[in-house]
Amino acid sequence: MNTSAKQKTKPVAAIIGGGPAGLAAAERLAGVAQVHVFDAMPSLGRKFLLAGKSGLNITHAEDLDLFLSRFKEARARLEPLLRGFLPDEIRSWAAALGVELFVGSSGRVFPKAMKASPLLRVWLTRLREAGVIFHPRHRWTGWADDGALTFETPDGETHFRADVSVLALGGASWPRLGGDGAWVPLLRAKGVTVNPLRPSNCGFDVAWSPHMAARFAGEPVKSVTLSFGDRSLRGDFVVTRYGIEGSAVYALSADLRDASDRDGKAVLTLDLTPDRDLERLTRDLSRPRGKASLANHLRKAAGIDGVKAALLRECLDATVFDDPAALAEAIKALPLTLIRARPIAEAISSAGGVALDELDEKLMLTKIPGVFCAGEMLDWEAPTGGYLISACLATGRAAGAGAAIYDSENGC
């Protein structure tokens, strides 16, 4: 497939990556360019569909300043892009596609269908109607000597010439769905700084005893407060055979990951009874237990049983159980040592990627004119809850807009 831009009345735009960022870029460019979307997988939006299995947090309805704060160090650079496609505008965009949304009690915004497939299906249909051409099973392998994009396909290598390109290749989480980070050496070879890809919104390894791993893997730990550094939050997590995971863990995962990378461990503090203060808990545990077993005493006096009781036995010296005051303090501040983050292939998302200072304000790579980047392949991270998809959509639209401006300014 060799396409010459000179033979077209419209400039030719190549979008590499068929996830939310790539499709948002294609949507922005449709009508002003002949748009071709390439994806390595047999079908588009596979990770998007996986996210939809748990309800698809498409954005968040919280106060805008709080929303923007979720992007931490990257906020200053991302804020103009996020303001270009605000959460309310994302909701209007979905409604225009015929997808009805609702705001959950946490402020997260979901499709009423609680899945991604209806939205993706109508979105792809609209893009096709707008003239966008899709090329599945096209794995991008870089550039030929003449500047053409090169792809590996089932029929062998093929080249494609484009006036402008948008790279929306994702990070390296869930590689079986297409995001494997294979693009990193291709950009580094062009002198682009790409910061190491690391797991984000991920679980952690814990050195469980064989009994804990076998007996309690899969058990949820509900209504606890997790603390690390100066951050505390209330929520749930799940014990796994290798450690812990779940929404409350993911919310602290960036700080926990950085600490475990730096120090070889991170100590997460758990309050197993957040609704009962230390004074009351000490008093309750100090009551005579009579002939009751320790397990029954913990259950009756403190509401601690099952997996919470197992966590106490796992993390505390046996002598602590003989001292009600010390036991109460441990229940309110139980130290759980995390060894390391789980592999990036298991993470919900990834941190690291193309350094933001490699891009101009329109998301074009300054070292490769005419090539724009968007989505998770950029070096930013955010918690789950609609922030990830929001930023992918916003940066995709921004890159598409930048590509359109580049086309017009360069007379393509």
Side-chain angles (χ1 to χ4, degrees), residues 1-2 38 138-139 141 148-153 155-160:
M1 174 178 57
N2 290 286
F38 300 85
H138 278 63
R139 179 177 293 278
T141 56
L149 298 162
T150 60
F151 296 90
E152 178 186 289
T153 79
D155 298 320
E157 184 178 85
T158 189
H159 293 195
F160 186 88

Side-chain angles (χ1 to χ4, degrees), residues 371-396:
V371 177
F372 296 74
C373 294
E376 198 180 334
M377 68 183 294
L378 305 182
D379 187 7
W380 58 272
E381 64 179 316
T384 59
Y387 311 104
L388 297 167
I389 292 178
S390 286
C392 285
L393 291 170
T395 57

